[in-house]
Amino acid sequence: TPYTIRDTRVSIEEKMQESSNAISAFDEILKEEKISSFEEERKKAKEEQAKIIEESRLGGLGDTTSVSSDTYEETTTSFSYSDPDPIVNSESEAELQALSFDAIKDYEFIPPPLSLFKSYDAYEDKEKLQEFIDYSIEHIKDVIKERKNHEIDITKIEHGPTFTRFEFKMPVTLPIKDIEGLSADLALHLASNAGVRIAQVPNTDRVGIEVANRERVQVGLKDVLSDKVFLDADPIKCPFVIGKDVTGKSLFLELADLTHILLAGTSGSGKWVFVTSLLLSLMCKVSPKDLRIVICDPKGVDFVSFSGAPHLLIDDIVVEPQKIDKVLAWAVQEMERRYDILKASRVAKIADYNKVMKGKDHMTRILIFVDEFADLVGDKSNSIMEKVQKLAQKARAAGIHLLLATQRPTVDIVSGSIKSNLSTRIALKVQNNIDSRTILDMGGAENLLVHGDMMFYSATNSQIQRAQGPNVSGEELYDVLSFIREKNPAIFDERLKAKIDSVPANSSSGGGASYGGDDDRDLDLKVKALKFVIDTKKTSISAMQREFRIGFNKAALVHDWLIKEGYITDLENGKAQINITLDQYKAKFGGV
């Protein structure tokens, strides 16, 4: 069998070379704009090469079951084929945009396997656990009896990965505020350095005393992602992971059911790990067709691992405050544009629109994550807060969601107008009771443990819940994102990227030419395109695509720059007039 396969592979290589030569010849003809006569021949050559590639993938054998797994992997690797960017022959912008839209509409997402995630040891010493429970019950009863002169009976014990909750029914003559005031005394007598939280058990008539476990059990992201509820969740609703509650039940939320999310946590609370697990769970479950993400990280280091992920709207992590401001300005414009579409379609929200369209058109949800939000808006001279308020008030129905994270949730930043629209709020450990009340409208978050211990409530459940967020290591993050990048094509918004990267009109450049106010990131390409226009007299977007092997969006930006700078002028007959000579080009840009 190996000998047969080697012979077949040589034959396939020869066939591929022949077909590649044929395609190259047709490409040369296309460059001369002799397109219409040869389009059918080029299409046939493409189909022939696709057939040959498929044969090579099967090792040249009709029955793949006769090829060993090692041999099969070798043949697929050896004959990996990367088709260059498609050459678009029509000069109609509408048709070119439709091509890009079709690529998104027909997107087939390949999610990463759970085997890429790490499994954490959940072993607990049963004898030590029982000693901890008996010790805690004894001291809880003694403290309440001595301080409040009431005897209680612990009626239920819930043991979770991070803390254990001891529940009892409140005596009628004892106010709950009196019990809540005993948290410091209980922490002392239970020898709990992490503090003790006392609160009503949601939807019951019992009070729970939450005590940190002596031995903490690590909750892995794999444990939560493999839960049947999450596996069966509808990807269209964009489900994401919260963690596990005190009973060990996995907790999830669905972005489609929420407005916006406010997250607070001091340094060391596990905020980065929680946000990473949230984003990663979305990327594992939801296709880029249904959700695009913009990550704004003023620190510039925490979320760099996500660069290039196909779920991102732009292939970059936005760092500079000015660019973050532009992202939010674009989001406000996109929100208004979407509302015009929804109004014309006579529907009220994005979910109804996608159902009505039934695949004819598709509106993708957008999640904008902004880290260190309070630091960004601390400078009153910027307009970030104004844009955030607009988005918080009405962007949800248009499918645009905010995730705002901060270390210091001060009342002047997290104001009432912001909080009223960010109805899902998550607090990891914060510095003090004031910060806890700022986020949750109640105290308690200052007594949380570090490393992912949290309290939260959402638009779908106003009851405060406590949970342990999952852990995800840097190695897991790298492996999962690498798989997603390799198996799924990335289609980024080049126009938005260029808009964000452009130099603001009111910014000081320190003198020198600005070449129309754009940044210098693509200046080299623009200058080359100008030289190409002068030499060939070809000014169309498609001609630039073919010459420089770039996508439509980038070619259109270059074309717009040429018009804006006055180097070419569009005429009514579809042609363009070139307004610069070669000598003028040399005088301004140098070169040959």
Side-chain angles (χ1 to χ4, degrees), residues 476-521:
E476 291 175 86
L477 179 64
Y478 177 84
D479 291 341
V480 173
L481 289 176
S482 296
F483 180 94
I484 294 176
R485 290 190 196 98
E486 292 171 5
K487 301 298 182 181
N488 300 278
I491 305 174
F492 300 114
D493 192 330
E494 294 290 345
R495 286 179 180 252
L496 174 58
K497 170 68 173 174
K499 186 174 184 179
I500 294 172
D501 287 343
S502 64
V503 177
N506 59 354
S507 66
S508 60
S509 60
S514 64
Y515 300 117
D518 286 341
D519 65 329
D520 292 341
R521 186 173 61 89

Side-chain angles (χ1 to χ4, degrees), residues 318-368:
V318 188
V319 176
E320 293 86 352
Q322 296 87 349
K323 293 184 178 182
I324 295 175
D325 195 3
K326 286 191 174 185
V327 167
L328 296 172
W330 167 84
V332 172
Q333 294 176 353
E334 176 66 9
M335 174 187 71
E336 298 295 347
R337 186 189 71 84
R338 290 185 172 204
Y339 269 114
D340 289 341
I341 295 175
L342 295 177
K343 182 179 179 180
S345 303
R346 298 182 180 179
V347 295
K349 55 186 179 180
I350 182 175
D352 295 337
Y353 176 81
N354 288 335
K355 288 179 181 178
V356 169
M357 290 296 102
K358 298 179 180 178
K360 297 177 183 178
D361 193 2
H362 188 79
M363 199 175 286
T364 303
R365 290 190 183 274
I366 298 173
L367 173 64
I368 301 176

Side-chain angles (χ1 to χ4, degrees), residues 70-321:
D70 293 340
T71 306
Y72 176 77
E73 183 178 357
E74 180 184 335
T75 56
T76 55
T77 303
S78 300
F79 286 93
S80 61
Y81 177 77
S82 177
D83 198 7
D85 292 337
I87 297 177
V88 182
N89 303 310
S90 172
E91 302 205 6
S92 167
E93 181 174 340
E95 291 182 11
L96 291 166
Q97 288 179 332
L99 176 67
S100 177
F101 168 76
D102 288 340
I104 290 289
K105 183 178 66 174
D106 300 329
Y107 198 101
E108 294 184 7
F109 177 58
I110 302 176
L114 291 177
S115 59
L116 294 176
F117 291 93
K118 182 180 178 182
S119 295
Y120 294 87
D121 185 11
Y123 171 77
E124 286 187 274
D125 189 312
K126 300 301 180 183
E127 291 185 4
K128 290 184 178 180
L129 175 59
Q130 191 60 51
E131 290 178 5
F132 162 72
I133 290 176
D134 293 340
Y135 179 88
S136 299
I137 290 175
E138 178 184 353
H139 284 74
I140 288 172
K141 294 172 72 173
D142 287 347
V143 169
I144 293 177
K145 182 179 180 180
E146 293 298 326
R147 297 290 191 275
K148 300 301 177 184
N149 197 27
H150 279 79
E151 292 189 359
I152 62 166
D153 292 322
I154 304 297
T155 58
K156 190 175 183 180
I157 299 172
E158 295 285 7
H159 176 65
T162 305
F163 64 92
T164 300
R165 186 170 66 203
F166 301 88
E167 302 178 11
F168 63 94
K169 191 169 184 178
M170 281 288 295
V172 177
T173 57
L174 184 62
I176 188 172
K177 289 184 178 180
D178 288 355
I179 292 293
E180 290 175 347
L182 295 177
S183 59
D185 290 337
L186 285 170
L188 174 64
H189 289 280
L190 292 172
S192 176
N193 294 328
V196 171
R197 178 176 176 265
I198 304 173
Q200 178 188 358
V201 179
N203 302 316
T204 71
D205 60 352
R206 299 187 300 274
V207 170
I209 298 177
E210 298 169 353
V211 184
N213 295 334
R214 291 176 180 171
E215 293 184 359
R216 188 170 188 164
V217 175
Q218 194 85 280
V219 175
L221 184 56
K222 180 179 181 179
D223 298 335
V224 190
L225 292 177
S226 59
D227 190 282
K228 188 177 186 301
V229 176
F230 186 78
L231 294 175
D232 294 341
D234 187 358
I236 299 297
K237 302 193 77 174
C238 301
F240 61 88
V241 163
I242 292 292
K244 288 193 174 186
D245 66 8
V246 66
T247 67
K249 177 185 176 183
S250 298
L251 299 173
F252 318 100
L253 292 176
E254 293 178 328
L255 197 62
D257 294 334
L258 309 179
T259 50
H260 310 283
I261 305 171
L262 180 61
L263 170 67
T266 188
S267 179
S269 63
K271 181 163 62 72
W272 176 85
V273 176
F274 175 72
V275 173
T276 297
S277 64
L278 186 156
L279 296 176
L280 208 56
S281 62
L282 282 168
M283 291 182 176
C284 290
K285 184 69 176 179
V286 187
S287 168
K289 178 184 70 173
D290 300 315
L291 175 69
R292 305 308 289 270
I293 301 171
V294 180
I295 298 178
C296 302
D297 175 24
K299 291 181 180 178
V301 295
D302 288 345
F303 298 94
V304 67
S305 299
F306 288 92
S307 297
H311 290 80
L312 297 188
L313 190 60
I314 56 174
D315 183 19
D316 203 358
I317 306 301
V318 188
V319 176
E320 293 86 352

